[in-house]
Amino acid sequence: MPPVAESSLQVKADFPIFKRRFGGRELVYLDSAATSQKPEVVIEALAEHLRKHNANIHRGVYPLAQEADAAYDGARRRVAEFTGAEPETTIFTKNVTEAINLVAYAWGRANVHRGDAVLITQMEHHANIVPWQILCREREATLRYLEIDEHGEISLDALQAELARGDVALVAFAHVSNVLGTINPVAEMAARARAAGAVSLIDGAQAVPQMPVDVEAIGADFYAWTGHKALGPTGVGVLHGRRELLDSMEPFLAGGDMISSVDFQSATWNELPAKFEAGTPMIAEAVGLGAAVEYLAGLGMERVRAHERELTAYLLERLSQLSGVRPVGPPEADRRGGLVSFTVEGMHPHDVAELVGRSGVCIRAGHHCAQPLMRCLGVGATARASVGVYSQPADIDALIEALAAGREIFGL
Ligand SMILES: Cc1ncc(COP(=O)(O)O)c(C=O)c1O
């Protein structure tokens, strides 16, 4: 029997996509780590904004434009409150990828020098690798990696040893790995980086949707995340930054709205956060994200975490009942977020995903934008099942059933 605990959420009915049928079957969506489904309140907030309040922002003096201003600024306040940050230091970006690139360009190019090192971990998404590769190449700096152990975790002693070398300008790491599920001790890592004089950046793409995140309490210099994984629309991400650093940085992109004044040969920069939001931003999407975090806050992030932890424990347990299935990452659900990547002996991960897909079960297969990590794990790809607030034990049962049937087809 699937577990039914008090913390369980029953919110599938809030998400209209689950009314769809695929070949007569219900949608079993276990790909929330790639992108989450959207509740009606988010879809409605987005549509309502476009229907009733659409105007460009920070320009118009007429009432409709003031409504659009209020909607955008209100969304920023909601998002900042949700993550324990200040609105002025909460910058809307296109996604987490752009947020990390913003730091790599606007902070990195001025502060990483020849002979410095940028330290990341072996479990990073390409979004938290490639910007540092480019920066290090340009600045003649070195990119170094903290190794993961057999459970997909990093060691604080190893971090300390790296920092003790005295050349680390920046440490960048995921809060929750999108492949291993590992929850990193981010507050401790940020504190150690700070003590060693290094700046820290956390990729919170997989953390913000599923656990309480208080960026002030974590104490990192930069904390980046992406709206579409947190029940929000695509096209909007967030960068929280330490005020002194954001103040000291040059802009990332230049154009309208990010300036205070422009002369023929020069310009001065606007206040935070506008300094980092050049051009017309993703207004309706930000409004949608505001509705998304309000919905999540209404569920309660402690409850969301408990729900996803339980489902992950159940997923690990059910997968362990299938021979030849090897999950990667920490063995206990307490130490991991709501996803499990796994391999199936004798089957390519793409075949696994395709076969279960025929039963209406959506999982991901591939390198999950983490090719260096795949190399560390000694595989080319994995299958990955990931849960969201709407997921239920029955979704996991459907996956296991489809997996068992698929293995039979393959004669395993
Ligand atoms: C840990 C992590 N970082 C970064 C990203 C990139 O997110 P986006 O494509 O929204 O920028 C992802 C998305 O898969 C992720 O899981």
Side-chain angles (χ1 to χ4, degrees), residues 137-192:
R137 198 179 314 133
E138 242 181 73
R139 306 296 300 162
E140 297 183 53
T142 313
L143 182 60
R144 292 206 299 265
Y145 288 79
L146 275 179
E147 287 181 14
I148 53 162
D149 65 17
E150 72 276 21
H151 297 312
E153 293 173 308
I154 53 139
S155 131
L156 287 171
D157 288 344
L159 170 64
Q160 201 59 46
E162 281 290 346
L163 291 168
R165 291 170 68 170
D167 59 353
V168 178
L170 176 107
V171 189
F173 44 93
H175 193 160
V176 175
S177 158
N178 66 314
V179 177
L180 304 162
T182 312
I183 302 173
N184 282 315
V186 286
E188 183 61 29
M189 292 170 80
R192 291 190 186 208

XYZ file of all heavy atoms in Angstrom, residues 137-192:
428
model
N 38.583 31.187 -19.018
C 39.404 31.261 -20.229
C 39.780 32.714 -20.506
O 40.937 33.040 -20.777
C 38.640 30.656 -21.416
C 39.558 30.301 -22.574
C 38.820 29.686 -23.751
N 37.879 28.664 -23.363
C 36.623 28.589 -23.814
N 36.175 29.446 -24.687
N 35.827 27.624 -23.410
N 38.785 33.581 -20.404
C 39.013 34.996 -20.700
C 39.955 35.664 -19.718
O 40.757 36.510 -20.072
C 37.667 35.709 -20.628
C 37.248 36.331 -21.921
C 35.921 37.018 -21.745
O 35.867 38.095 -21.104
O 34.950 36.455 -22.234
N 39.823 35.295 -18.437
C 40.569 35.976 -17.377
C 41.854 35.241 -17.015
O 42.511 35.624 -16.051
C 39.702 36.116 -16.117
C 38.359 36.779 -16.349
C 38.462 38.220 -16.798
N 39.155 39.033 -15.812
C 39.694 40.212 -16.049
N 39.622 40.725 -17.262
N 40.302 40.889 -15.098
N 42.159 34.170 -17.728
C 43.335 33.332 -17.413
C 43.284 32.860 -15.972
O 44.270 32.914 -15.226
C 44.630 34.087 -17.718
C 44.774 34.417 -19.200
C 46.089 35.109 -19.516
O 47.135 34.570 -19.133
O 46.041 36.181 -20.128
N 42.113 32.457 -15.572
C 41.909 31.882 -14.244
C 41.714 30.371 -14.401
O 41.633 29.855 -15.521
C 40.681 32.511 -13.597
N 41.646 29.669 -13.274
C 41.518 28.205 -13.323
C 40.147 27.807 -12.802
O 39.687 28.348 -11.795
C 42.578 27.550 -12.397
O 43.819 28.175 -12.659
C 42.683 26.066 -12.615
N 39.550 26.837 -13.487
C 38.271 26.293 -13.014
C 38.567 24.969 -12.321
O 39.101 24.049 -12.941
C 37.320 26.101 -14.194
C 35.926 25.571 -13.858
C 35.185 26.514 -12.907
C 35.104 25.373 -15.129
N 38.241 24.897 -11.035
C 38.486 23.643 -10.296
C 37.156 23.063 -9.804
O 36.184 23.795 -9.621
C 39.424 23.892 -9.116
C 40.841 24.255 -9.553
C 41.869 23.886 -8.480
N 41.672 24.565 -7.227
C 42.289 25.703 -6.872
N 43.148 26.276 -7.700
N 42.067 26.244 -5.700
N 37.155 21.739 -9.598
C 35.923 21.028 -9.235
C 36.074 20.329 -7.893
O 37.071 19.642 -7.658
C 35.612 19.951 -10.283
C 35.135 20.506 -11.611
C 36.030 21.025 -12.543
C 33.778 20.502 -11.929
C 35.592 21.532 -13.760
C 33.337 21.007 -13.151
C 34.237 21.509 -14.058
O 33.806 22.008 -15.262
N 35.061 20.478 -7.043
C 34.990 19.664 -5.830
C 34.428 18.311 -6.224
O 33.382 18.246 -6.892
C 34.027 20.301 -4.827
C 34.548 21.372 -3.900
C 33.410 21.876 -3.024
C 35.693 20.848 -3.045
N 35.089 17.247 -5.789
C 34.649 15.910 -6.202
C 33.446 15.438 -5.399
O 33.270 15.837 -4.247
C 35.797 14.917 -6.004
C 36.876 15.112 -7.028
C 38.020 14.139 -6.868
O 37.858 13.139 -6.128
O 39.066 14.395 -7.490
N 32.655 14.570 -6.003
C 31.556 13.940 -5.264
C 32.001 12.552 -4.819
O 32.857 11.925 -5.450
C 30.279 13.813 -6.124
C 30.572 13.117 -7.464
C 29.642 15.169 -6.350
C 29.344 12.590 -8.156
N 31.422 12.066 -3.701
C 31.756 10.708 -3.246
C 30.789 9.692 -3.859
O 29.988 10.033 -4.737
C 31.775 10.641 -1.707
C 30.400 10.901 -1.097
O 29.382 10.807 -1.823
O 30.335 11.193 0.116
N 30.842 8.446 -3.369
C 30.034 7.390 -4.010
C 28.533 7.615 -3.820
O 27.714 7.035 -4.532
C 30.466 5.993 -3.530
C 30.094 5.620 -2.104
C 31.086 6.125 -1.052
O 31.843 7.085 -1.326
O 31.087 5.555 0.057
N 28.138 8.465 -2.847
C 26.718 8.768 -2.677
C 26.321 10.086 -3.351
O 25.226 10.601 -3.132
C 26.366 8.852 -1.188
C 26.568 7.566 -0.460
N 26.096 6.384 -0.949
C 27.193 7.278 0.703
C 26.430 5.407 -0.119
N 27.107 5.924 0.886
N 27.255 10.644 -4.112
C 26.931 11.882 -4.812
C 26.944 13.090 -3.900
O 26.203 14.055 -4.127
N 27.764 13.049 -2.877
C 27.843 14.184 -1.950
C 29.259 14.747 -1.936
O 30.220 14.044 -2.237
C 27.415 13.746 -0.547
C 25.925 13.398 -0.526
C 25.441 12.793 0.777
O 26.053 11.816 1.228
O 24.458 13.291 1.332
N 29.360 16.019 -1.563
C 30.691 16.615 -1.497
C 31.125 16.714 -0.043
O 30.300 16.646 0.866
C 30.712 18.017 -2.147
C 29.614 18.898 -1.552
C 30.601 17.974 -3.641
C 30.080 20.270 -1.325
N 32.422 16.897 0.165
C 32.937 16.927 1.536
C 33.311 18.359 1.904
O 33.955 19.070 1.129
C 34.139 15.979 1.616
O 35.236 16.602 2.220
N 32.864 18.771 3.096
C 33.209 20.117 3.570
C 34.710 20.239 3.813
O 35.291 21.322 3.667
C 32.426 20.441 4.849
C 30.930 20.733 4.647
C 30.212 20.826 5.977
C 30.712 22.007 3.826
N 35.347 19.121 4.180
C 36.814 19.148 4.378
C 37.512 19.450 3.044
O 38.486 20.203 2.994
C 37.317 17.803 4.915
C 36.895 17.607 6.365
O 36.504 18.617 6.999
O 36.924 16.464 6.836
N 36.983 18.840 1.983
C 37.580 19.087 0.660
C 37.378 20.547 0.264
O 38.265 21.187 -0.308
C 36.956 18.153 -0.381
N 36.206 21.085 0.585
C 35.950 22.508 0.298
C 36.961 23.366 1.060
O 37.573 24.289 0.504
C 34.515 22.881 0.707
C 34.173 24.371 0.705
C 34.246 24.964 -0.706
C 32.771 24.625 1.280
N 37.138 23.022 2.342
C 38.062 23.781 3.184
C 39.483 23.742 2.602
O 40.175 24.755 2.556
C 38.042 23.165 4.590
C 38.532 24.082 5.679
C 37.708 25.368 5.749
O 36.492 25.326 5.718
N 38.398 26.493 5.803
N 39.871 22.558 2.154
C 41.228 22.390 1.609
C 41.394 23.235 0.341
O 42.438 23.871 0.132
C 41.491 20.915 1.301
N 40.360 23.259 -0.493
C 40.424 24.076 -1.718
C 40.535 25.559 -1.369
O 41.326 26.296 -1.954
C 39.173 23.838 -2.575
C 39.211 22.563 -3.397
C 40.221 22.642 -4.532
O 40.700 23.744 -4.851
O 40.552 21.583 -5.084
N 39.710 25.984 -0.406
C 39.718 27.401 -0.027
C 41.051 27.794 0.600
O 41.522 28.922 0.421
C 38.569 27.686 0.958
C 37.152 27.604 0.363
C 36.091 27.612 1.466
C 36.901 28.755 -0.610
N 41.668 26.837 1.305
C 42.934 27.118 1.989
C 44.062 27.402 0.989
O 45.094 27.960 1.355
C 43.307 25.947 2.899
N 43.860 27.031 -0.268
C 44.911 27.314 -1.268
C 45.043 28.819 -1.508
O 46.022 29.281 -2.076
C 44.607 26.578 -2.581
C 44.775 25.067 -2.417
C 44.258 24.274 -3.596
N 45.051 24.469 -4.807
C 44.914 23.737 -5.910
N 44.031 22.757 -5.943
N 45.659 23.977 -6.963
N 44.005 29.572 -1.114
C 44.128 31.030 -1.094
C 43.890 31.730 -2.419
O 44.028 32.951 -2.498
N 43.525 30.977 -3.463
C 43.348 31.618 -4.772
C 41.901 31.619 -5.266
O 41.632 32.032 -6.390
C 44.239 30.914 -5.820
C 43.908 29.432 -5.945
O 43.092 28.934 -5.141
O 44.470 28.773 -6.846
N 40.976 31.143 -4.416
C 39.588 31.001 -4.892
C 38.857 32.343 -4.802
O 38.689 32.906 -3.730
C 38.827 29.918 -4.086
C 37.380 29.820 -4.572
C 39.521 28.571 -4.206
N 38.429 32.834 -5.962
C 37.700 34.108 -6.003
C 36.205 33.868 -5.846
O 35.494 34.689 -5.275
C 37.969 34.816 -7.332
N 35.733 32.740 -6.367
C 34.297 32.467 -6.350
C 34.040 30.969 -6.189
O 34.741 30.155 -6.789
C 33.656 32.932 -7.672
C 32.173 32.597 -7.797
C 31.303 33.838 -7.634
C 31.851 31.939 -9.124
N 33.036 30.645 -5.368
C 32.588 29.256 -5.242
C 31.132 29.230 -5.711
O 30.305 30.008 -5.233
C 32.641 28.759 -3.784
C 32.393 27.255 -3.731
C 33.969 29.090 -3.139
N 30.809 28.347 -6.677
C 29.446 28.274 -7.208
C 28.962 26.833 -7.124
O 29.677 25.913 -7.539
C 29.426 28.763 -8.662
N 27.787 26.632 -6.562
C 27.313 25.260 -6.361
C 25.793 25.201 -6.335
O 25.110 26.174 -6.000
C 27.883 24.671 -5.068
C 27.830 25.623 -3.902
C 26.765 25.622 -3.029
C 28.858 26.538 -3.689
C 26.718 26.510 -1.955
C 28.811 27.439 -2.627
C 27.747 27.423 -1.762
N 25.283 24.009 -6.663
C 23.832 23.801 -6.653
C 23.357 23.635 -5.216
O 24.057 23.047 -4.386
C 23.495 22.545 -7.448
N 22.159 24.134 -4.943
C 21.536 23.863 -3.643
C 21.061 22.407 -3.640
O 21.322 21.672 -2.701
C 20.368 24.844 -3.438
C 19.835 24.879 -2.044
N 19.099 25.922 -1.561
C 19.904 23.991 -1.026
C 18.754 25.689 -0.299
N 19.228 24.514 0.043
N 20.366 22.022 -4.712
C 19.915 20.630 -4.880
C 20.331 20.191 -6.282
O 20.039 20.888 -7.261
C 18.382 20.513 -4.734
C 17.911 19.098 -5.039
C 17.923 20.934 -3.335
N 20.993 19.039 -6.373
C 21.436 18.554 -7.690
C 20.251 18.053 -8.510
O 19.414 17.300 -8.003
C 22.451 17.424 -7.513
O 22.507 16.631 -8.682
N 20.230 18.416 -9.791
C 19.125 17.997 -10.662
C 19.291 16.569 -11.159
O 18.410 16.047 -11.822
C 18.991 18.948 -11.871
C 20.187 18.884 -12.791
O 21.322 18.913 -12.345
N 19.949 18.784 -14.088
N 20.427 15.928 -10.832
C 20.636 14.540 -11.247
C 20.684 13.620 -10.030
O 20.020 12.582 -9.985
C 21.953 14.392 -12.046
C 22.202 12.927 -12.399
C 21.905 15.244 -13.311
N 21.474 14.016 -9.041
C 21.680 13.150 -7.873
C 20.612 13.382 -6.812
O 20.390 12.542 -5.951
C 23.049 13.447 -7.251
C 24.239 13.323 -8.201
C 25.462 14.038 -7.632
C 24.554 11.856 -8.451
N 20.008 14.547 -6.845
C 19.041 14.913 -5.806
C 19.701 15.437 -4.543
O 19.028 15.947 -3.651
N 21.000 15.328 -4.453
C 21.751 15.753 -3.264
C 21.372 17.158 -2.796
O 21.333 18.093 -3.607
C 23.269 15.787 -3.590
O 23.605 14.571 -4.244
C 24.104 15.988 -2.336
N 21.097 17.278 -1.499
C 20.888 18.605 -0.912
C 22.224 19.016 -0.292
O 22.720 18.353 0.625
C 19.796 18.584 0.178
C 18.479 18.071 -0.402
C 19.629 19.969 0.802
C 17.378 17.847 0.641
N 22.799 20.066 -0.816
C 24.100 20.502 -0.292
C 23.942 21.373 0.956
O 22.949 22.092 1.093
C 24.862 21.273 -1.378
C 25.489 20.346 -2.388
O 26.089 19.339 -2.019
N 25.336 20.641 -3.661
N 24.934 21.332 1.865
C 24.887 22.167 3.078
C 25.257 23.608 2.722
O 26.341 24.105 3.034
C 25.937 21.507 3.984
C 26.904 20.859 3.053
C 26.148 20.489 1.802
N 24.323 24.292 2.048
C 24.659 25.549 1.383
C 25.045 26.677 2.340
O 25.933 27.475 2.031
C 23.531 26.014 0.429
C 23.496 25.176 -0.834
C 22.176 26.018 1.109
N 24.382 26.744 3.493
C 24.702 27.837 4.426
C 26.133 27.677 4.923
O 26.902 28.648 4.989
C 23.715 27.844 5.589
N 26.493 26.441 5.245
C 27.857 26.164 5.730
C 28.886 26.440 4.616
O 29.945 27.022 4.854
C 27.915 24.700 6.184
C 29.239 24.263 6.788
C 29.635 25.039 8.038
O 28.731 25.507 8.765
O 30.857 25.205 8.259
N 28.536 26.063 3.406
C 29.458 26.277 2.275
C 29.651 27.768 2.015
O 30.771 28.235 1.790
C 28.931 25.575 1.016
C 28.959 24.055 1.126
S 28.093 23.238 -0.230
C 29.328 23.323 -1.535
N 28.542 28.518 2.077
C 28.642 29.972 1.846
C 29.454 30.624 2.962
O 30.273 31.520 2.707
C 27.245 30.579 1.766
N 29.248 30.163 4.195
C 29.980 30.745 5.332
C 31.477 30.478 5.190
O 32.314 31.349 5.445
C 29.458 30.156 6.643
N 31.809 29.253 4.777
C 33.243 28.923 4.618
C 33.864 29.731 3.472
O 35.014 30.168 3.573
C 33.417 27.423 4.389
C 33.078 26.650 5.648
C 33.473 25.214 5.538
N 32.994 24.479 6.702
C 33.564 23.399 7.202
N 34.640 22.918 6.628
N 33.063 22.793 8.259
